Amino acid sequence: EVQLLESGGGLVQPGGSLRLSCAASGFTFSSYAMSWVRQAPGKGLEWVSIISDSGGNTYYADSVKGQFTISRDNSKNTLYLQVNSLRAEDTAVYYCAKSSNSGSYLNRYFDLWGRGTLVTVSS
Amino acid sequence: QSVLTQPPSVSGAPGQRVTISCTGSSSNIGAGYDVHWYQQLPGTAPKLLIYGNSNRPSGVPDRFSGSKSGTSASLAISGLQAEDEADYYCQSYDSLSGSRVFGGGTKLTVL
């Protein structure tokens, strides 16, 4: 079955860190760029970061640049997001999403989503 | 405030047709970047609904259609059904920010 399964979320104090993971199965993980998208409680979707299929290129939303680090281990079919210096406004469900391979790189879309992992930043 | 603007809510009766707009600018939709649409049913993860402005993934009913013109895009849902009640998001690329961007989302209520 083609799926993405996130883990690693939880309750963390302001200033704390977490490493989120996303285990992929059912497709050739190393052939696709992958993203993280978050959704604060009751709010809309916010793209966070993307990593190329090889891991050689990474891009971030301005809101998390310098604070979050995306990485991947293609040998383990796993995507990661290291989240540091957490603030209350980082409280959200974090989804990993697989990018399509069709069309130009900037026009690709998210064709598979995980169920998400909740990160709560609170003292 | 989202780079792509959607109405917060729309509603329609079963069987009716509704449209959801997604208004951007010359640095995203107007620059020629594709628009994609996602459906998020209550309590679930988003799901791809329309890609490349007007294409439906396999399994998505042809009641759902997308279009794009100038700096805007639209999602149309015809033959509205109770199970269509969800949040809908448009997404594109913005060259000014160098980011993938989402609209603020539209909550569809089936009356």
Side-chain angles (χ1 to χ4, degrees):
Chain A
E1 182 187 1
V2 177
Q3 67 175 2
L4 299 169
L5 187 61
E6 301 93 336
S7 61
L11 175 63
V12 60
Q13 292 189 337
S17 298
L18 283 174
R19 188 174 83 156
L20 310 182
S21 298
C22 171
S25 59
F27 64 97
T28 307
F29 180 71
S30 59
S31 296
Y32 298 91
M34 298 291 296
S35 275
W36 287 97
V37 176
R38 68 182 178 181
Q39 186 171 34
K43 303 296 184 183
L45 301 173
E46 179 189 15
W47 174 78
V48 170
S49 181
I50 190 168
I51 186 168
S52 62
D53 51 4
S54 66
N57 293 294
T58 58
Y59 302 92
Y60 299 90
D62 287 343
S63 58
V64 305
K65 209 170 287 185
Q67 183 191 1
F68 291 4
T69 302
I70 191 171
S71 62
R72 64 192 296 162
D73 185 337
N74 286 344
S75 69
K76 295 183 178 179
N77 292 340
T78 303
L79 175 72
Y80 302 102
L81 186 68
Q82 179 69 38
V83 296
N84 297 330
S85 305
L86 284 163
R87 305 179 286 250
E89 52 265 39
D90 296 315
T91 293
V93 174
Y94 285 73
Y95 296 102
C96 69
K98 168 183 165 288
S99 280
S100 65
N101 257 355
S102 59
S104 67
Y105 188 73
L106 298 179
N107 277 328
R108 291 179 188 172
Y109 44 92
F110 307 118
D111 60 4
L112 179 67
W113 296 67
R115 292 185 176 183
T117 187
L118 176 62
V119 172
T120 303
V121 184
S122 175
S123 55
Chain B
Q1 193 168 354
S2 304
V3 171
L4 304 179
T5 301
Q6 298 179 232
S9 64
V10 298
S11 62
Q16 285 189 331
R17 180 179 186 270
V18 297
T19 61
I20 297 172
S21 61
C22 175
T23 303
S25 67
S26 59
S27 63
N28 40 71
I29 298 175
Y33 295 108
D34 285 349
V35 177
H36 318 297
W37 292 88
Y38 304 88
Q39 177 193 58
Q40 187 175 33
L41 296 169
T44 70
K47 167 194 154 187
L48 179 66
L49 193 65
I50 296 286
Y51 67 93
N53 306 315
S54 59
N55 301 291
R56 282 187 311 277
S58 60
V60 173
D62 59 6
R63 302 186 296 104
F64 295 90
S65 62
S67 63
K68 174 187 154 183
S69 177
T71 58
S72 295
S74 290
L75 172 71
I77 310 171
S78 60
L80 211 52
Q81 299 180 4
E83 58 260 36
D84 298 334
E85 195 160 278
D87 293 324
Y88 293 85
Y89 294 90
C90 60
Q91 180 252 312
S92 186
Y93 178 81
D94 183 74
S95 60
L96 209 56
S97 61
S99 297
R100 280 77 181 160
V101 289
F102 286 94
T106 298
K107 181 175 182 59
L108 168 63
T109 300
V110 181
L111 303 171

